[in-house]
Structure formats: structure tokens, C-alpha cells
Amino acid sequence: MAPAIEVRELRKSYRGQEAVSGVDLTVEPGEVFALLGPNGAGKTTTVEILEGHRDRTSGDVSVLGHDPAEGGPDLRRRIGIVLQETGVERFLTVAEVLEEFAGYYPRPLAVDHVLDLVGLEEKRNSRVGRLSGGQQRRLDVGIGLIGNPELLFLDEPTTGFDPSARRGAWEMVKGLTDLGTTVFLTTHYMEEAQQLADRVAIIVGGRIVAEGTPATLGGRQLRDTSVSFAHIVLPDHLANRFTADGDRWVTSSSDPTELLHELTAWAIGAGVTLDGLEVTRPDLEDVYLELTSEGS
Amino acid sequence: MNDGLRLAVRQVRYENKAFWRNPASAFFTFFFPLLFLFVLTTLLKNDTSTLPTGQEVNNATYFTASILPFGVITACYTNLAMSVTFLRDQGVLKRVRGTPLPPWSYLLGRIIHAVAIMLVLVVIMLTFSHLAYDVPVPGRSAPAFLITLAVGAFAFCAMGLAATAAIPNADAAPAVVNATVMPLLFLSGVFVPIDDGPAWIRTVAGIFPVRPLLKSVTESLIPPTGNPTGWYFGGLAVVALWGVGAVLVASRWFRWESRR
């Protein structure tokens, strides 16, 4: 099956300043793809080029087999767009807005179905201007979905949400993937990418600096595991393998199994407790911070 | 093409709902001209004024002829310039551009709605003036009257869309719209008759589109004895030229997104 999105050597300059500097991306049908990066990294520029809202300076872009700069209504019938900023007639009700937009598409979803998907059933007769910020965002997603798109663009869908609203939005997006919709998501929340995406690309300064699944991103599965615990007196054979860091013993190892066995066997035999024992792999946040600071 | 037309007509229904639920747009576009007509005719009905055609008429007739163009201007120019700028700032225009709805059908839907509002306004005004003050309704001059309204609607809708290109953001919209309209309304004799005043005012006003529209409306509403069909082609030509210029400006500079 052809990729849903294919981008080669994409570049975009504004008045001589390059905002996107040679981006390559491939998004397969049915996957949730996250473009993750700090503010100003080129995420919105990239997604708006894919949506057809912006012209590119150079490069090849294919979205569902169309060039979005020329796709016109044929392409727009098959995609859904959730922009960063909301914009709806404030004086219409939620259901009226969804009906209005449903009329633009050849095979829309039922308004009630979309209300259910985005959790706005109880607000169907409320005017848009009276919705809370989170509810307006849900309506945005609803408008993006009403045309039953094969591909949905979500540009920073949860920016400005409180943590519980964010979790609610994540549940909603996870529900969409059951419909078989391909999702292209931009976010600056690492946790959001981790929760939602099958694949993540990190963009910094207009370039992709890493790409992979949340588990393998930045070679995370290859990184050493660190082991640490509160300082106690260790026998020599163990003390050699740790270094003292403040009031803790720390070390890192590519295969900590044998080390942990030795350590815990000694502790149990000696009747010693290992206070504050931690075994951690670098989380995605560490990888993200490392990559974004290298790239900028 | 046909699909785009069908969608434009469908769009009118939603524009209409949103229009009447917005107290500011309903008041300023719709009730404001009626209020002016009512107040001016009631206050000044015992005097007479000179029409641009030179006829001496009672003030109820004068102000019916002068507030009608004001209705055309608020329904078309003011209404479109304000609402489209606001919707552009809100991101509504950008969102519409991301759907299969052709951009021209969206704008056409708004224009059809503006013209419909204008027609309803004209009918109410004429009915009121006819019943209350015996102001005549156009008979033999009806074709000229309707074509004048059509040319005025075309030109002032186009100018409304062109004006959005010059309006930086929605906060500035009322200021820009009023600054462009209010002086012309006074200079053109909409609120105050100018036909007994200095000639230079009429000369200056004649360059801009409001005065020629007012003269064309007057001529076709109360045709002088020498021109029973009520055509005033000179005025229509000036209005139409402004309309064509506005179409050129709008097609070159109309923006679907607010500037950041």
C-alpha cells in the first residue's frame, strides 16, 4: 500500500530565513505519526504545507497521492484538519456547525456519531461561543472528523489543556485509530507523542534529528540501565562496581541482571536493606531533551 | 461549478442563523437604517428639501430616497467588511479553506446573504414610507430602481471584501469602516441635504460612490417629469467602476488568514 504521506527534502523559507531545512518523512496508512519538537522548530510550517495551507519553497510532497499545493477539493474531501487555533461561527450551536461542515463532504459521518466520538452529546444545542476551551477543542476535532477522513491532521491538539483534559483528549484520539484513520499529530509534549504515536519524529531547527517508535527513539533501547541506591558500606567486590555520587551509589550497565543478582544476594545474605533502590532506563524525556539541545 | 453554487446557496442558511443571533450585526446592519429613516422622517416631516434632481419634495420623501442607499451600504459594505474581518481573525476563513467547499462558494454565500438582507431592508423602508407618508413606490421606473439596487449591491459588496484587505485586524474594523463611510454619508447628502449648499461639496462627493448611488436611487424612485423611466446612467457608471476596481483589489489582496 502506498504511504499516506511522503515528504522528500522539504524546505520552506520566510524572507530568507529557513524554517524547514530538508525534512524527509513517510507516514504509513493507519498509523499515528507524531512530529515532536519545541516551539519554533518548524512543526506547524510542515503540517500546514501538508494541509495545503502554505506553499513550500522546494521539495516533493505527496499526501494521499496528491500534491497538497494543487490537490484542491479532491484532496480536501479525504482529509480532516484540526488547526492550532479554533475558528467557528460563535453564534451557531455545536450540532448546527457539524451539520454545516458535513454538507461539504460526499460521505460524512452522522452528526450524532461525531458528537459521541468527541464527547459533546450534552452540548449539542449549546452555542459554540459558550463552550469552554477544552470543549471548543473537542468541537475542532469533531469538525476535522465529520467528513470521515482517511487522514486527520492534529496540530498541537492539547496545548493549553489541564492534565485531566489532556488525558481525556488522548482517549479520544486513541478511539479514532480504531476507525482506521491515519493521524498526523504535532506536539511539543513528549508524553503525548509517547501515549499516542506508533512512530515519532523529532524536529529541531527545521530538521528531523531522530525518528523511531517511542520505544526505540534515539537508540533508547540500546542505552544503559542505571542502578542506584542509598549509600551503605559495601564489600569490596561490589564497591568496585559502583561509584559514590553524593549519598548514593550509582552505576550504569548494558545488562544489569547479573549485577542486580550479585547485589541483592549479598544484601539478603548480610541482612541489609537497600534503601531507595532504583533501576531505570533513560525515559523518552531524557532522550528528547538530549536530542533537542544537540540540535539547537 | 453547479456543486459550488448549490453549496453557496446552502451556506446562506447558516449565515442567516448566525446573523440574527449576533445582536451587534443584526442591530447595526438591519435596525440602524430603519431607525434613521424613522427618526429623520418623524422629526423633519414638516419641511421640504431639494432632491439632486432639483425637485422640491417633503422631507419624508427626501429621506426615504437618501436612507435607501444607506441601507444598501450597511447591508453590503459595512456588514461584509466587519464580519469577514472578524471571521478571518477567528480563523473561520482558514478553516473553511481546508474543506472541500470552494472558497468562491463560501464568499458567494455571504454575498447572497448580504443582498437578501438589503432587499428585505428596502422592502420594509418603502412600505413604511408609503403607508406613513404616501411616498410613491416606483412604477414605470421600477426596472431602473431594481437595476440601481443591483449595481449598488455589487459595488458595495465588492468594496466590503476589498476593504478587508486594508483592515489589519478585527479590532480595527469598526474604525476603518466608519472612517471610510461616515464622511461620505454626510458629504453625499444622506443625512443632511446638500443640494442647497456649496457646489464643491457636490463635486467632491460625485467622485466617490455614495453620491452617485444616491442620485441614481433618487432618480429612479421619484423620477423627474423629463425622465419617467428613472435611469441615471452617469451615476450607475461611477458606482459600477468603483465595484470593478474593488473586485480587482479584492482578487489581488484578499487574505484568508490574519497576519501574525
Side-chain angles (χ1 to χ4, degrees):
Chain A
M1 213 160 156
I5 298 176
E6 197 150 30
V7 175
R8 291 289 163 262
E9 265 301 300
L10 175 66
R11 287 174 190 277
K12 173 71 182 178
S13 307
Y14 297 105
R15 294 179 206 91
Q17 283 275 40
E18 214 164 48
V20 176
S21 319
V23 160
D24 295 308
L25 291 173
T26 305
V27 179
E28 298 299 334
E31 78 175 343
V32 178
F33 184 92
L35 188 60
L36 172 67
N39 290 328
K43 300 188 296 291
T44 294
T45 301
T46 303
V47 74
E48 292 203 338
I49 289 169
L50 298 180
E51 292 163 351
H53 278 307
R54 231 160 269 296
D55 292 331
R56 58 188 184 268
T57 306
S58 67
D60 296 321
V61 179
S62 162
V63 175
L64 302 176
H66 290 266
D67 180 339
E70 289 150 18
D74 287 340
L75 174 59
R76 294 203 201 100
R77 280 185 192 106
R78 298 169 62 196
I79 63 174
I81 297 176
V82 180
L83 295 166
Q84 225 176 86
E85 282 142 40
T86 60
V88 185
E89 283 276 11
R90 296 175 310 152
F91 296 99
L92 297 178
T93 68
V94 168
E96 283 167 347
V97 167
L98 289 173
E99 276 160 24
E100 179 188 356
F101 279 84
Y104 303 156
Y105 296 89
R107 282 174 302 280
L109 296 175
V111 168
D112 288 321
H113 183 196
V114 171
L115 286 171
D116 180 48
L117 279 173
V118 299
L120 282 176
E121 302 97 323
E122 285 166 17
K123 293 286 169 188
R124 64 172 297 141
N125 295 320
S126 301
R127 294 207 186 159
V128 173
R130 300 200 182 126
L131 298 179
S132 71
Q135 289 165 342
Q136 291 209 2
R137 208 70 189 120
R138 285 169 173 267
L139 176 60
D140 280 336
V141 176
I143 294 170
L145 284 174
I146 192 80
N148 196 11
E150 294 163 51
L151 168 63
L152 180 69
F153 291 101
L154 293 172
D155 195 3
E156 306 204 355
T158 65
T159 296
F161 278 26
D162 63 43
S164 81
R166 180 165 296 136
R167 297 219 166 256
W170 289 347
E171 290 309 312
M172 185 176 83
V173 175
K174 284 176 187 164
L176 303 184
T177 52
D178 300 337
L179 302 174
T181 315
T182 308
V183 177
F184 187 99
L185 165 87
T186 75
T187 181
H188 56 248
Y189 297 114
M190 199 272 326
E191 198 190 350
E192 185 158 287
Q194 193 166 17
Q195 283 281 333
L196 294 178
D198 300 313
R199 243 152 26 84
V200 181
I202 295 180
I203 184 168
V204 181
R207 278 173 230 278
I208 303 290
V209 295
E211 199 184 333
T213 66
T216 62
L217 194 68
R220 188 167 148 241
Q221 80 286 12
L222 306 173
R223 307 281 181 106
D224 289 350
T225 302
S226 67
V227 177
S228 69
F229 52 96
H231 195 278
I232 46 169
V233 179
L234 290 178
D236 285 350
H237 74 280
L238 285 169
N240 289 339
R241 303 182 62 176
F242 286 86
T243 49
D245 176 12
D247 54 359
R248 291 178 74 79
W249 289 108
V250 295
T251 191
S252 64
S253 158
S254 57
D255 178 14
T257 317
E258 184 265 348
L259 173 70
L260 282 168
H261 177 74
E262 237 178 279
L263 175 68
T264 51
W266 166 78
I268 291 165
V272 173
T273 50
L274 298 169
D275 284 332
L277 175 64
E278 276 180 7
V279 181
T280 54
R281 280 204 310 156
D283 66 15
L284 199 50
E285 181 117 37
D286 299 324
V287 176
Y288 175 61
L289 290 174
E290 193 181 307
L291 287 167
T292 51
S293 60
E294 276 169 12
S296 53
Chain B
M1 184 75 189
N2 281 335
D3 203 41
L5 273 180
R6 183 185 62 78
L7 288 170
V9 172
R10 184 178 177 279
Q11 193 65 26
V12 175
R13 219 171 63 226
Y14 293 99
E15 306 302 348
N16 196 44
K17 277 187 191 169
F19 177 83
W20 290 108
R21 287 181 197 169
N22 178 348
S25 80
F27 179 79
F28 283 105
T29 303
F30 197 78
F31 294 106
F32 214 41
L34 296 177
L35 189 72
F36 267 102
L37 178 67
F38 181 73
V39 170
L40 288 172
T41 52
T42 308
L43 277 180
L44 304 169
K45 64 186 170 196
N46 295 326
D47 279 329
T48 61
S49 294
T50 313
L51 287 174
T53 50
Q55 295 152 280
E56 189 77 9
V57 294
N58 65 47
N59 273 330
T61 307
Y62 182 92
F63 286 116
T64 305
S66 75
I67 300 295
L68 272 175
F70 178 51
V72 172
I73 292 165
T74 55
C76 296
Y77 178 78
T78 312
N79 173 20
L80 278 181
M82 299 251 210
S83 65
V84 170
T85 310
F86 182 76
L87 294 170
R88 183 184 70 197
D89 272 24
Q90 293 275 301
V92 175
L93 297 189
K94 184 173 179 181
R95 186 199 291 278
V96 167
R97 272 217 117 176
T99 73
L101 181 71
W104 63 264
S105 358
Y106 179 78
L107 290 180
L108 183 62
R110 295 207 78 86
I111 290 170
I112 293 173
H113 181 254
V115 174
I117 291 289
M118 177 201 86
L119 286 175
V120 174
L121 259 177
V122 167
V123 169
I124 293 177
M125 286 181 178
L126 283 183
T127 309
F128 166 78
S129 297
H130 186 65
L131 296 179
Y133 300 109
D134 264 339
V135 174
V137 288
R140 261 191 84 185
S141 60
F145 182 71
L146 290 174
I147 295 293
T148 301
L149 288 183
V151 172
F154 153 73
F156 280 91
C157 283
M159 282 185 263
L161 293 180
T164 64
I167 301 173
N169 54 55
D171 293 333
V176 173
V177 169
N178 286 322
T180 49
V181 161
M182 289 311 281
L184 285 181
L185 293 178
F186 279 99
L187 275 182
S188 304
V190 168
F191 302 130
V192 187
I194 60 167
D195 287 275
D196 296 326
W200 67 265
I201 291 188
R202 292 193 292 277
T203 312
V204 170
I207 301 166
F208 296 96
V210 179
R211 176 78 178 163
L213 178 65
L214 185 144
K215 286 173 81 170
S216 305
V217 167
T218 308
E219 190 103 10
S220 61
L221 185 66
I222 308 128
T225 38
N227 183 18
T229 50
W231 289 102
Y232 178 55
F233 292 108
L236 289 181
V238 175
V239 177
L241 264 179
W242 275 88
V244 170
V247 168
L248 295 177
V249 169
S251 55
R252 172 71 183 77
W253 284 292
F254 186 82
R255 281 177 289 129
W256 294 86
E257 277 182 57
S258 59
R259 272 199 213 105
R260 307 188 181 212

